[in-house]
Amino acid sequence: MDGWQRAFVLHGRPYSETSLLLDFFTEHEGRVRVLAKGARSRRSNLKGCLQPFTPLLVRWSGRGEIKTLRDAEPISLALPLTGSVLYSGLYINELLSRVLEQGIAYPALFFDYLHCLQILAASEYTPEYALRRFELSVLNNMGYGVDYLHCAGSGEPITDTMTYRYREEKGFIASLVVDHYSFTGNELKALAAREFPDPATLKAAKRFTRIALQPYLGGKPLKSRELFHQFVRKNTGNVNPKN
C-alpha cells in the first residue's frame, strides 16, 4: 500500500528483540497484520504511538500475509480509556481481532468502532449501551442477516408481548417456550433499532449478542473478559462478577 490511511492498533506483541507484530484495524483494508521493524528500540520514534486507542495514519508495503510498516503518525492523543472502561476497549479490540478476516474492508464498521471508543472515553454513560450497539454493528457488517421484526415461521410482524425463540440460521419463531433463547417482541424491536430504553431490553441485547457471536468466536475464552473479572474481584471482592 503506497498511500496513508487511518488505523488503530488492535493488538501487538514483541517480535524479535526490537520489533513488534501488530494487528491494525484500518479504514479501507480492514484488519491488517504488520511487522514494525525496530519499533521497540530505544531510538525508534514509533515506540510511543503504536498503542491501542491512538488514532493513527499508517502506510505499509508487502503482498504477503504479514506486511512491513513503513511509517505511522498519531492523528491525536490516545482516547482516554481508564478504569473499568479500559476493559471495554480491550474487549472490542479482541472481538475484532478474533472475528474479522484479514484484508476485507469494513469502512462503516471502522467509524462505528471510532464512535464506540469516543463514547467509552467520554465516560458519561454505562459502557453497556455502546458495547451492545457495537456488537450488533459487527454482526451486521459480517453479513449476519437475521430479521428481528418478523416471525421466521409465519412471516407475520412480531407482537410486543409475544415470545419468540431464536433458531440459528432461521431467525425468531413464535413459541410458548421461555428459556435462554427466548425474546419478547418488544426486546426484538429494541435490537432492530439498537436502542435499549430499559434494563430488560439492554439485558436481552447482551444475551442475544453472546448467542450470535459465539459461532464466530469458537470455544476459546476472551482474554479481555477474564481480565475484567480479575479487575472486579480485586476492586470489589466479588468472586463471581457479572459479565
Side-chain angles (χ1 to χ4, degrees):
M1 189 199 75
D2 296 326
W4 295 79
Q5 65 175 290
R6 288 184 284 189
F8 285 88
V9 172
L10 295 178
H11 176 72
R13 63 180 177 86
Y15 187 90
S16 76
E17 292 185 1
T18 60
S19 300
L20 284 171
L21 191 62
L22 302 164
D23 273 359
F24 282 130
F25 185 35
T26 70
E27 182 177 358
H28 299 300
E29 296 191 38
R31 186 169 69 87
V32 178
R33 183 157 292 174
V34 175
L35 178 62
K37 294 181 179 180
R40 299 172 62 214
S41 67
R42 293 181 179 179
R43 297 181 180 180
S44 175
N45 60 354
L46 298 176
K47 193 173 183 178
C49 72
L50 295 177
Q51 302 293 330
F53 319 127
T54 300
L56 300 169
L57 284 174
V58 300
R59 60 189 182 98
W60 63 83
S61 62
R63 296 184 179 181
E65 182 178 346
I66 300 177
K67 320 297 184 184
T68 300
L69 184 66
R70 293 304 176 196
D71 209 349
E73 296 179 359
I75 298 174
S76 65
L77 296 175
L79 291 159
L81 273 60
T82 58
S84 61
V85 176
L86 171 63
Y87 297 94
S88 296
L90 294 176
Y91 164 68
I92 64 174
N93 278 7
E94 186 176 10
L95 178 62
L96 293 181
S97 295
R98 291 273 296 271
V99 306
L100 297 185
E101 297 290 337
Q102 289 195 54
I104 299 176
Y106 297 97
L109 182 60
F110 181 85
F111 285 100
D112 284 344
Y113 171 79
L114 174 58
H115 184 57
C116 184
L117 288 182
Q118 290 171 332
I119 293 174
L120 293 175
S123 298
E124 295 178 3
Y125 309 99
T126 173
E128 292 285 328
Y129 295 94
L131 294 179
R132 302 296 81 84
R133 291 180 184 126
F134 183 70
E135 289 166 340
L136 291 168
S137 175
V138 170
L139 288 165
N140 181 64
N141 278 273
M142 292 175 64
Y144 190 85
V146 67
D147 184 349
Y148 302 102
L149 299 180
H150 295 85
C151 174
S154 66
E156 294 292 323
I158 61 171
T159 302
D160 285 4
T161 56
M162 180 85 67
T163 299
Y164 300 86
R165 195 167 188 272
Y166 174 72
R167 294 182 63 181
E168 189 175 350
E169 298 183 359
K170 290 188 177 181
F172 297 93
I173 298 176
S175 173
L176 297 177
V177 175
V178 178
D179 61 12
H180 182 69
Y181 296 90
S182 301
F183 300 84
T184 66
N186 184 57
E187 291 167 347
L188 295 182
K189 287 180 179 179
L191 284 168
R194 300 186 195 177
E195 295 291 339
F196 314 110
D198 53 59
T201 54
L202 185 60
K203 186 176 180 180
K206 185 173 187 175
R207 181 159 50 91
F208 173 71
T209 57
R210 289 284 177 89
I211 293 169
L213 286 168
Q214 187 56 47
Y216 298 99
L217 292 171
K220 185 179 179 182
L222 289 163
K223 293 180 180 179
S224 55
R225 191 171 290 162
E226 178 56 31
L227 289 172
F228 174 69
H229 290 174
Q230 292 175 11
F231 171 82
V232 172
R233 287 194 292 266
K234 180 179 179 181
N235 287 274
T236 67
N238 186 351
V239 298
N240 187 29
K242 294 182 179 180
N243 53 22

